[in-house]
Amino acid sequence: QNGANDGRERGHAAGGSRRRNDPFGESRYRDGDRGYDRRYGTRETYKINYREAFRNGYERGYSDGRRNTNSTAPRWWPF
């Protein structure tokens, strides 16, 4: 859950500001352990799951951010 929410938030910000679609460049993705608690199991397993959820959330957020941008460029630009 943490990874998906974090990814969606970062992806939406990137898409809305027309930045490159790059979840791997995000520090939260690289760290992969935000919100970790030992009750969740091993840190390495948590990181794997967090990063997968982050990527999925980022993609959804990026798409939403691109659609909802307040850009001054016409919607058809660039082709």
Side-chain angles (χ1 to χ4, degrees):
Q1 194 72 350
N2 289 332
N5 291 335
D6 290 348
R8 188 171 186 337
E9 175 186 306
R10 296 293 174 111
H12 192 273
S17 62
R18 302 261 186 217
R19 289 195 315 259
R20 184 169 63 130
N21 183 343
D22 181 21
F24 308 107
E26 297 287 341
S27 62
R28 287 186 180 174
Y29 176 84
R30 289 191 313 269
D31 295 341
D33 61 357
R34 190 170 112 76
Y36 172 73
D37 186 297
R38 64 186 178 103
R39 292 177 296 167
Y40 301 152
T42 68
R43 186 175 298 270
E44 289 308 309
T45 299
Y46 181 86
K47 284 181 173 186
I48 290 167
N49 294 326
Y50 178 96
R51 287 176 176 145
E52 179 180 354
F54 187 97
R55 284 191 310 271
N56 291 332
Y58 190 96
E59 292 301 323
R60 284 191 301 274
Y62 190 86
S63 294
D64 290 346
R66 292 287 295 206
R67 274 195 300 273
N68 298 326
T69 187
N70 290 326
S71 173
T72 58
R75 289 281 182 216
W76 50 267
W77 182 265
F79 309 97

